[in-house]
Amino acid sequence: MRTTTKAALGALLMSSTGAANAVVPLVDVDVTTGYWNADPSGTIQSGGDPIGVDNDLGYDSEGHNNFAIRFAHPVPVIPNLRLRYNDIEHDGTGNVSKKFEGNSYGTDVKSRTDLTHYDYTAFYTAPIPVVTLDLGLNVKHFDGEVTLKEQGGNTDTVEVDEFLPMGHVRADVDLPLTGLGAGAELNYISFDGDSATDVEGYISFNADPVYIQGGYRQFDVDVDASGDLNVDTELSGPFVRLGVGF
């Protein structure tokens, strides 16, 4: 299912790129694909004590793919737009010895925590020299689930279908005549006991129209999701991203 989704999304991004430039020549379009090797930590909890995703569930670092398309235009009153798909799943087998959804779990518990989400970002680019500065709103739409399955015992699944609005800031700096640059992005919210931070920093090399970025991303989320589920986890690690600009 995920493979089909990725293929369909990739085809959509490429077709959208061609259409945008054909219909509106003044629109700048960037299409990117990336790979993020994330190390998980923290807890999940639903109807029992907190369950450690690394110590109890046995999660380890895994690679995650993401795809994005970014539209920028010269009309001042209309925000620019970026759409990004983040495939984030972790699987493991561990010794839980705690309750989840009110059921007691023990050894050899297989689990999957799926925090896959879509990013919808509307932003304005500030007209300042040297630095490209984007300011706006990022909305994360989580479309995943948390599943625990005990050998010959309990099985519970909790859907994660949430929208999370966040403030968005991104800055890029290019070194003239070198193709080299650097940048950082921050998406953040803290409200009514819930909080989330998605931050990354990177260096880049541009060989127009292709560019490559390499950096480090950290995604912290502490929210009460569907039902009684609380997700308090951190994902962090290096990433590489390949992009094409038109």
Side-chain angles (χ1 to χ4, degrees):
M1 182 66 179
R2 292 295 181 198
T3 302
T4 303
T5 302
K6 294 173 189 174
L9 183 63
L12 177 62
L13 295 184
M14 295 307 295
S15 62
S16 298
T17 302
N21 282 274
V23 177
V24 188
L26 294 179
V27 173
D28 293 329
V29 181
D30 279 13
V31 178
T32 62
T33 179
Y35 179 84
W36 178 34
N37 189 59
D39 188 29
S41 62
T43 63
I44 60 171
Q45 182 179 5
S46 182
D49 294 327
I51 300 173
V53 298
D54 46 356
N55 296 327
D56 296 327
L57 299 180
Y59 293 172
D60 203 349
S61 60
E62 290 190 28
H64 308 295
N65 299 314
N66 57 77
F67 306 91
I69 183 167
R70 182 179 187 269
F71 300 94
H73 58 79
V75 183
V77 296
I78 300 176
N80 303 302
L81 181 65
R82 186 187 70 187
L83 309 175
R84 183 163 70 176
Y85 171 77
N86 302 273
D87 183 11
I88 302 177
E89 297 182 32
H90 281 269
D91 299 89
T93 300
N95 181 2
V96 177
S97 299
K98 295 175 182 178
K99 287 186 177 182
F100 184 77
E101 286 287 282
N103 294 318
S104 298
Y105 283 82
T107 59
D108 296 326
V109 176
K110 293 184 178 180
S111 69
R112 181 168 71 97
T113 297
D114 184 354
L115 296 179
T116 293
H117 61 275
Y118 299 86
D119 277 321
Y120 311 108
T121 306
F123 62 93
Y124 294 95
T125 300
I128 58 177
V130 183
V131 178
T132 300
L133 179 63
D134 295 340
L135 303 171
L137 174 69
N138 170 262
V139 178
K140 294 185 183 297
H141 176 204
F142 290 89
D143 181 23
E145 63 183 25
V146 177
T147 298
L148 268 65
K149 182 176 182 180
E150 188 177 29
Q151 184 71 26
N154 298 309
T155 298
D156 287 291
T157 297
V158 181
E159 300 291 332
V160 180
D161 185 6
E162 303 290 332
F163 288 87
L164 188 64
M166 310 175 73
H168 170 79
V169 180
R170 177 183 174 183
D172 283 288
V173 179
D174 293 322
L175 298 178
L177 306 178
T178 66
L180 297 175
E185 178 177 326
L186 171 65
N187 299 289
Y188 176 78
I189 188 173
S190 180
F191 177 76
D192 195 25
D194 293 342
S195 64
T197 304
D198 190 359
V199 60
E200 65 180 50
Y202 51 85
I203 57 175
S204 60
F205 177 74
N206 186 1
D208 193 32
V210 179
Y211 61 91
I212 187 171
Q213 297 173 341
Y216 193 89
R217 179 184 178 189
Q218 181 170 315
F219 180 37
D220 300 336
V221 58
D222 181 5
V223 298
D224 292 322
S226 306
D228 294 327
L229 179 65
N230 174 264
V231 178
D232 184 6
T233 62
E234 175 186 307
L235 299 168
S236 59
F239 72 85
V240 62
R241 183 181 296 137
L242 179 66
V244 180
F246 299 90

